[in-house]
């Protein structure tokens, strides 16, 4: 072989080595993390459990990825979001009693470092699109001050899907000062997408984030849809037409069901379009996409069948969340994962994927679940303390724990925002493996197990933060603000919790 041939052979070997090394570096770069949260989506609201529903994009992603069948959430919006962002149980945060309601001078304690704040330290670009719902009365509560580079969406729990203003169906004589406009980019009021269906608007903004992303940096996108939270309004005709063509929900009495189904299909379409955008941008191959609901469905005796209970309840229908993971990084895709996990576990899982395992706080209520999800390994979690709350003034008590296959509900099964003091001494024990629909209360016959789980709850009671659930404050009514903020949901009218 001549000198020239040797030279070319050497260059080819060197090129192969460089490509191999650079390929390894690409593979080892932190993945893009996409967290998509639905609002009030029930166990029975998706096509793989209810053939009346049309959610083909999510079903396709679920079947090609990992379906989560024992992924637990809190029974209400804000508690789940707080657990996701902090890696802690809501009852450790004082967020266990209910959601942050409009005009409440409350929010997620600002002393806690949130998930996006950690991810920024690993070089992530952090974006929140959609529903915040962790407090807005003080600027320190707002998402752009809690680790997000940019935020686009609503501060409150729900607005009309077209007007961005709240509705008060249970309070038809609500004072006009309570009405206001709620769509923000960071802390500025914006009118983008005027009259556009909210679900479609949030999908479009999420696509924009992906398309405009600097590919030299990892991306954390938190996309929190309002759908299908009520009050339900009519979605765009294109979503209803899909059901009309199949003859579903055609009885005039089913118009509300049809509208809600259309909203869920809009959500499904949006999830699919976000994944399409990741692929078009060349980001999907190094992405982990997680989908979850924030709590069980709100439609009584419908949304969560065959599970018992609904939103705001500690029965399975209120807390067992619809969820899946879609990612080319999964080692064992096309898997049904029945391992126990809680919404707080995404905190440690994401930090681990980002290369920040050493930054996970020691006192967190969060486990790194990636080996469980990716390789279908055993879950590091065997227990979830689902609730701890006590109100001595009203004589109320609510506690619940899932330990292995057993679940104890002690006291009222509804969150303590509702008075059920006649249930404060109730005890219900279920074997969730054998009785997932909670029809057979084993407490009378398994007293030793009841005592064991009660002891476990009482051992943690000293770690409970008393619930923060303030009365409505008129200082937050939009109509009482002045100047350009008049009629707008605005910040700066309370003190932040630290």
């Amino acid at each position: 072989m001549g000198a020239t041939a040797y030279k070319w052979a050497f260059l080819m070997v060197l090129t192969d080595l460089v490509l191999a090394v650079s390929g390894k570096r690409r593979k080892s770069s932190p993945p893009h993390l996409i967290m998509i949260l639905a609002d009030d989506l029930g166990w029975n609201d998706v096509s793989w459990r209810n053939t009346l529903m049309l959610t083909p994009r999510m079903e396709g992603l679920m079947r090609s990825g990992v379906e989560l069948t024992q992924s637990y959430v809190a029974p209400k919006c804000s508690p789940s979001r707080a657990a996701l962002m902090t890696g802690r149980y809501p009852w450790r945060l004082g967020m266990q009693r209910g959601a942050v309601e409009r005009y409440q001078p409350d929010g997620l304690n600002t002393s806690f470092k949130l998930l996006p704040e950690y991810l920024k330290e690993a070089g992530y670009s952090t974006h929140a699109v959609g529903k915040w719902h962790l407090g807005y009365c003080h600027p320190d509560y707002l998402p752009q001050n809690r680790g997000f580079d940019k935020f686009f969406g609503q501060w409150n729990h729900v607005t009309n899907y077209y007007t961005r203003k709240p509705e008060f169906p249970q309070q038809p004589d609500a004072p006009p000062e309570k009405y206001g406009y709620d769509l923000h980019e960071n802390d500025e009021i914006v009118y983008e997408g005027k009259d556009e269906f909210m679900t479609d608007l949030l999908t479009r903004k999420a696509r924009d984030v992906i398309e405009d992303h600097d590919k030299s940096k990892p991306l954390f996108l938190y996309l929190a849809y309002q759908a299908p939270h009520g009050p339900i309004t009519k979605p765009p005709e294109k979503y209803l037409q899909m059901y009309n063509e199949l003859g579903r929900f055609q009885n005039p009495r089913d118009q509300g069901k049809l509208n809600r189904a259309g909203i869920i299909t809009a959500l499904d379409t949006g999830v699919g379009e976000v994944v399409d955008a990741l692929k078009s941008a060349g980001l999907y191959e190094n992405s982990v996409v997680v989908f979850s609901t924030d709590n069980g469905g709100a439609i009584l005796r419908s949304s969560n069948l065959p599970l018992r209970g609904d939103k705001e309840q500690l029965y399975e229908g209120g807390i067992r969340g619809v969820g899946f993971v879609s990612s080319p990084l999964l080692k064992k895709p096309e898997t049904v994962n029945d391992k126990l996990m809680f919404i707080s576990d995404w905190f440690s899982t994401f930090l681990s994927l980002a290369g920040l395992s050493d930054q996970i706080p020691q006192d967190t209520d969060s486990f790194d679940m990636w080996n469980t999800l990716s390789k279908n390994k055993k879950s590091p979690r065997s227990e979830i303390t689902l609730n701890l709350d006590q109100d001595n003034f009203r004589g109320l008590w609510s506690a619940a724990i899932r330990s292995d296959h057993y679940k104890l509900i002690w006291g009222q099964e509804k969150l303590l925002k509702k008075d059920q003091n006649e249930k404060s001494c109730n005890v219900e024990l279920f074997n969730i493996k054998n009785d997932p629909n909670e029809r057979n209360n084993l407490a009378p016959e398994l007293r030793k197990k009841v005592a064991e789980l009660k002891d476990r709850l009482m051992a943690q009671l000293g770690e409970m933060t008393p619930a923060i659930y303030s009365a409505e404050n008129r200082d937050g009514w939009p109509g009482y603000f002045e100047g350009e903020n008049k009629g707008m949901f605005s910040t700066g009218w309370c003190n932040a919790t630290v």
Side-chain angles (χ1 to χ4, degrees):
M1 182 182 292
T4 302
Y6 276 116
K7 180 179 179 181
W8 280 109
F10 174 76
L11 288 173
M12 290 178 67
V13 170
L14 183 62
T15 300
D16 288 343
L17 285 171
V18 170
L19 288 173
V21 170
S22 64
K24 287 181 181 178
R25 285 179 180 164
R26 281 195 299 269
K27 288 181 181 178
S28 63
S29 62
H32 307 293
L33 303 172
I34 315 298
M35 182 74 206
I36 305 176
L37 205 61
D39 196 354
D40 290 5
L41 186 72
W43 189 256
N44 194 43
D45 285 334
V46 289
S47 57
W48 56 97
R49 297 202 181 95
N50 182 345
T51 56
L52 290 176
M53 304 303 295
L54 295 174
T55 56
R57 296 303 306 272
M58 290 196 294
E59 181 166 357
L61 293 169
M62 177 273 295
R63 296 203 183 281
S64 63
V66 173
E67 179 186 5
L68 308 175
T69 62
Q70 293 202 74
S71 177
Y72 283 82
V73 293
K76 191 72 172 172
C77 310
S78 299
S80 277
R81 295 161 204 272
L84 168 67
M85 290 293 162
T86 65
R88 288 170 170 81
Y89 288 131
W91 54 267
R92 289 193 199 273
L93 305 167
M95 300 286 288
Q96 68 271 48
R97 189 154 298 177
V100 179
E101 306 290 353
R102 297 186 194 99
Y103 326 121
Q104 276 185 332
D106 299 333
L108 177 58
N109 191 309
T110 57
S111 65
F112 290 103
K113 186 176 179 179
L114 303 194
L115 175 62
E117 296 179 88
Y118 285 97
L119 292 175
K120 285 186 72 164
E121 294 176 359
Y124 274 77
S125 176
T126 58
H127 293 260
V129 175
K131 172 175 169 175
W132 178 235
H133 206 194
L134 287 173
Y136 71 95
C137 61
H138 191 282
D140 288 352
Y141 288 142
L142 300 179
Q144 74 273 12
N145 297 323
R146 307 300 302 263
F148 285 104
D149 294 325
K150 291 184 179 180
F151 167 77
F152 180 94
Q154 67 202 61
W155 290 346
N156 280 288
H157 67 291
V158 65
T159 62
N160 179 279
Y161 281 80
Y162 295 97
T163 68
R164 325 299 179 223
K165 296 179 180 180
E167 297 178 339
F168 301 94
Q170 307 303 320
Q171 193 182 358
D173 298 325
E177 291 84 4
K178 296 186 77 169
Y179 289 85
Y181 182 87
D182 182 9
L183 186 65
H184 296 79
E185 186 161 10
N186 291 339
D187 59 355
E188 299 292 327
I189 290 285
V190 292
Y191 297 92
E192 181 176 348
K194 187 176 184 296
D195 297 327
E196 185 177 0
F197 186 60
M198 187 62 165
T199 308
D200 292 348
L201 172 60
L202 297 181
T203 297
R204 178 165 64 80
K205 294 300 291 185
R207 291 201 320 262
D208 289 346
V209 169
I210 293 166
E211 292 165 3
D212 296 340
H213 178 64
D214 177 358
K215 295 181 177 61
S216 67
K217 301 177 65 177
L219 169 66
F220 174 52
L221 170 60
Y222 172 50
L223 173 56
Y225 284 104
Q226 175 179 281
H229 197 295
I232 297 298
T233 53
K234 184 178 180 180
E237 194 64 35
K238 61 183 178 181
Y239 301 118
L240 301 179
Q241 188 60 31
M242 298 166 69
Y243 290 91
N244 294 337
E245 291 174 354
L246 294 171
R248 298 177 185 177
F249 305 113
Q250 297 302 291
N251 190 306
R253 293 176 298 179
D254 290 339
Q255 186 62 49
K257 293 180 180 179
L258 175 62
N259 288 342
R260 186 171 185 273
I263 289 175
I264 291 171
T265 298
L267 166 69
D268 175 78
T269 302
V271 172
E273 289 184 5
V274 167
V275 173
D276 290 344
L278 290 168
K279 292 178 179 179
S280 297
L283 303 180
Y284 181 70
E285 290 302 312
N286 192 33
S287 290
V288 175
V289 180
V290 175
F291 177 87
S292 176
T293 187
D294 62 346
N295 48 247
I299 308 302
L300 302 181
R301 296 174 295 280
S302 173
S303 287
N304 307 300
L305 293 175
L307 301 179
R308 181 181 181 182
D310 305 287
K311 175 183 178 179
E312 297 191 9
Q313 291 185 307
L314 291 162
Y315 294 126
E316 293 292 282
I319 58 175
R320 191 185 288 206
V322 176
F324 62 81
V325 180
S326 175
S327 173
L329 304 179
L330 294 167
K331 301 299 183 185
K332 289 188 176 181
E334 302 180 20
T335 301
V336 176
N337 190 298
D338 63 355
K339 312 302 191 299
L340 194 66
M341 69 176 299
F342 188 61
I343 191 168
S344 62
D345 293 331
W346 295 118
F347 176 87
S348 290
T349 303
F350 283 174
L351 291 187
S352 178
L353 285 167
L356 296 174
S357 296
D358 60 338
Q359 299 294 309
I360 299 172
Q362 292 298 309
D363 61 348
T364 189
D365 303 308
S366 178
F367 291 91
D368 174 10
M369 299 292 292
W370 185 244
N371 279 335
T372 302
L373 300 168
S374 176
K375 302 176 183 178
N376 205 23
K377 298 285 188 179
K378 182 180 178 181
S379 172
R381 180 183 284 283
S382 61
E383 178 181 289
I384 306 172
T385 304
L386 295 159
N387 197 37
L388 274 173
D389 196 7
Q390 186 174 24
D391 188 328
N392 291 328
F393 180 77
R394 294 187 293 158
L396 304 178
W397 167 256
S398 177
I401 188 170
R402 168 79 191 267
S403 183
D404 293 323
H405 300 315
Y406 287 98
K407 175 180 165 188
L408 177 75
I409 300 176
W410 182 13
Q412 68 181 60
E413 81 284 350
K414 276 187 172 287
L415 299 181
L416 295 194
K417 60 176 287 191
K418 181 177 178 62
D419 286 16
Q420 291 181 310
N421 51 15
E422 74 280 1
K423 292 187 174 183
S424 289
C425 295
N426 278 14
V427 177
E428 294 178 284
L429 179 71
F430 303 101
N431 184 320
I432 298 301
K433 181 178 181 180
N434 298 334
D435 179 26
N437 303 328
E438 299 172 299
R439 304 302 180 195
N440 184 20
N441 182 8
L442 301 174
E445 57 194 86
L446 295 180
R447 295 181 181 179
K448 185 175 180 180
K449 176 59 70 173
V450 169
E452 173 192 324
L453 296 181
K454 279 186 173 183
D455 286 346
R456 180 70 188 119
L457 287 166
M458 293 306 294
Q460 300 175 81
L461 185 60
E463 303 168 19
M464 181 191 80
T465 297
I468 302 167
Y469 198 73
S470 303
E472 179 180 304
N473 188 333
R474 292 191 178 198
D475 289 346
W477 287 13
Y480 287 152
F481 293 111
E482 297 179 351
E484 63 182 11
N485 288 331
K486 188 174 182 63
M488 308 293 173
F489 278 90
S490 303
T491 189
W493 48 273
C494 77
N495 297 316
T497 304
V498 292

